[in-house]
Amino acid sequence: MLFFVAQNAPNSDWEKKVTEYFKEKLKENNATNWVPSLNDVPVHYLKPNSLVKFRCMVQDMFDPEFYMGVYETVDPNTNARVLHFGKYRDVAECGPQQEIDLNSSQTVTSERQTFYCVPVPGESAWVKEAYISASQARVSPSTSYTPSRHKRSYEEDEDMDLHPSKQKEQHMGSGGDIHGCVEAKRLETEASAGHHVISPNCSPPLDLNFPLPGEKGPACLVKIYESWESFKVNDVLEVFGVLSVDPVLSIVNSEERDSSSLDPMECMDTMEEQRVHSPPASLVPRIHVILAQKLQHINPLLPACLNEEESKTFVSNFMSELSPVRAELLGFLTHALLGDSLAAEYLILHLISTVYGRRDVLPLGKFTVNLSGCPRSSAFSEHLYRLIQQLVPASYHLRMSIESMNHSRFIPHKDYAANRLVSGLLQLASHTSLVIDETQLEQGQLDTAGVHNVTALGNLITWQKVDYDFNYHRMEFPCNINVLITSEGRSLLPSDCQVHLQPQIIPPNMEEYMSSLLTAVLPSVLNKFRIYLSLLRLLDYSISDEVTKAVEEDFVEMRKNNPESVTADDLHKMLLVARWVWCSCHPSGLPSQLQLQPALALQL
């Protein structure tokens, strides 16, 4: 349990020592695996004021808040005074015979920033399972918070199913509260159905504000004490900090709402904001951050930071076997695409593509593929997405229909009454794979909202940005989302490349065929596919002048043969394809003079 109390005059050095201490300790012998994660463990299994971690995306940033960094308590009977530190706390510590001296000259007011964080949207099940398997944390139900245990909104049954057997045995033998589990399950079901949780302290539903429907897991108020300006909305973080779930927070917030209702003229504008910014701690726990770091990726099969020395050995060893891994992946995707090896080549290039830079407003590196000719009747797009979901760390399947376009919320918007950013489907973390399925799209009329949603998809694909709606203006949020469009004919949306599927086989049962593909792949091989796709997105590459010159010479020859149909945009696409072909094969696997396959060039 973490707490800080000072008997003497405050010394700012202790704050640096705390950070340095935990930073060093967490580097020792995979110590991070021993820290319980809110992604894996229900809150009622965690001790209040204990060290926890959370892998999350910053969904919103609230206004900075002030707190008593140093305060003094006094005993009215003995007049004895004690100096306390308020950092890493939500509730001031005060003994039964003590009172806080608000007029003390020792009081120091400090500032901290609060982020509203949610689990990474669309995080794949294999990612969650791998993190759980690597965890060495030992937890058992906390007995100190019996009343609040009944308010948990976390997936208990689902999480326990993902735990290793030894973790299950430990949980089963801990004698947890059956009523608490049932109640938590009920709340979780309500949350997953519509992001709403009915809290005993809130008469309206509590919206956990997840960007994607059906998401599960905790939402947390993450309180940052330093360098918060280095983080921004949609950043993916891993935070280590002190867990705060004090029931007093829920009681205080409820009393504030009840008292504010007595004077509606004074507090009407802030009631909704209070409810959103101060939800019950049992539903939205607080984490007081000691250490926070941006994550380059969320693939648990890769080293957390590829720039460190110990990671270079991992990278070099994997790059030595890159060619056979690529060949196996190509064969796997060729079977998934019904025998079309050219489409499989393009799918590999798409899956490793990333925005590596921006020139003015033009995002460099994006490679949106429209896979046309997809059979509609066999739910091919659905099964293809499930395979992609097994390969990438985060993804989402967007089924385009007139109904979904007209009634879904794609663009996040600012709710000024609650003073928060209301999430939308396109509020996604970097490197998320977005598969847009047009095969179910039928004729119909788009209303105003539908037109805005289609426009938002077009802007995302073309400019890799989403214009968040702040009512009076729109603000651009750059993104890095891999978009794959499946359609029968040419897509209604823009793309960098259209590949028409040429099936060589037509399976009588598409579901059985696709399922058999996955079961036929060894887990070790599947993990190599996952490493391959994530690693090649993250490594820095530079194409030599020789290769660039070769592509330019090919372009000149193409212009000579057909000057009207070959444009500068085609040159840009050729260079883009050349880059990702180069990256996918690695320089050691290519001849010195890069030659694009003729079929690839023709498809452009």
Side-chain angles (χ1 to χ4, degrees), residues 63-184:
D63 295 331
E65 66 181 28
F66 296 98
Y67 69 100
M68 290 190 296
V70 179
Y71 61 96
E72 194 173 33
T73 59
V74 59
D75 188 327
N77 299 323
T78 64
N79 209 29
R81 292 178 173 269
V82 179
L83 202 62
H84 303 260
F85 286 112
K87 195 172 184 179
Y88 307 120
R89 290 185 177 277
D90 282 305
V91 180
E93 182 185 32
C94 187
Q97 301 297 325
Q98 294 178 327
E99 297 176 356
I100 298 177
D101 184 1
L102 298 177
N103 297 318
S104 172
S105 59
Q106 301 283 356
T107 301
V108 176
T109 302
S110 301
E111 185 181 18
R112 60 193 177 199
Q113 176 69 54
T114 301
F115 297 162
Y116 187 85
C117 295
V118 297
V120 179
E123 188 177 71
S124 299
W126 66 266
V127 172
K128 293 181 172 71
E129 292 170 6
Y131 276 114
I132 292 173
S133 298
S135 175
Q136 301 296 320
R138 296 293 179 265
V139 294
S140 58
S142 172
T143 58
S144 58
Y145 274 22
T146 303
S148 62
R149 194 185 316 164
H150 303 296
K151 304 174 188 175
R152 297 295 178 248
S153 65
Y154 293 72
E155 60 237 345
E156 299 186 35
D157 294 345
E158 289 83 356
D159 275 340
M160 294 307 103
D161 288 342
L162 296 178
H163 275 69
S165 58
K166 57 185 179 182
Q167 188 76 358
K168 286 185 180 180
E169 292 170 2
Q170 185 177 23
H171 290 173
M172 292 297 292
S174 57
D177 187 342
I178 297 178
H179 175 74
C181 293
V182 173
E183 181 69 6

Side-chain angles (χ1 to χ4, degrees), residues 330-340 375 378-380 383-384 386-387 501 503-521:
L330 179 61
F332 175 76
L333 293 178
T334 298
H335 284 93
L337 295 172
L338 309 180
D340 190 337
S378 60
F380 170 79
H383 296 302
L384 177 62
R386 290 178 184 175
L387 289 182
L501 188 66
Q504 305 301 306
I505 54 175
I506 304 296
N509 189 314
M510 187 67 71
E511 184 174 0
E512 288 184 4
Y513 175 79
M514 290 295 196
S515 298
S516 65
L517 286 180
L518 275 178
T519 55
V521 179

Side-chain angles (χ1 to χ4, degrees), residues 320-345:
S320 66
E321 56 176 332
L322 199 69
S323 294
V325 172
R326 187 190 194 280
E328 286 188 90
L329 177 60
L330 179 61
F332 175 76
L333 293 178
T334 298
H335 284 93
L337 295 172
L338 309 180
D340 190 337
S341 59
L342 177 62
E345 289 275 6

Side-chain angles (χ1 to χ4, degrees), residues 313-376:
T313 302
F314 173 90
V315 174
S316 61
N317 290 340
F318 187 83
M319 297 301 276
S320 66
E321 56 176 332
L322 199 69
S323 294
V325 172
R326 187 190 194 280
E328 286 188 90
L329 177 60
L330 179 61
F332 175 76
L333 293 178
T334 298
H335 284 93
L337 295 172
L338 309 180
D340 190 337
S341 59
L342 177 62
E345 289 275 6
Y346 272 105
L347 186 55
I348 289 178
L349 303 188
H350 160 75
L351 291 173
I352 66 171
S353 65
T354 184
V355 177
Y356 61 85
R358 293 180 185 268
R359 183 169 298 166
D360 296 327
V361 296
L362 182 66
L364 305 177
K366 75 178 183 70
F367 191 58
T368 298
V369 171
N370 171 209
L371 185 64
S372 60
C374 295
R376 176 179 182 179

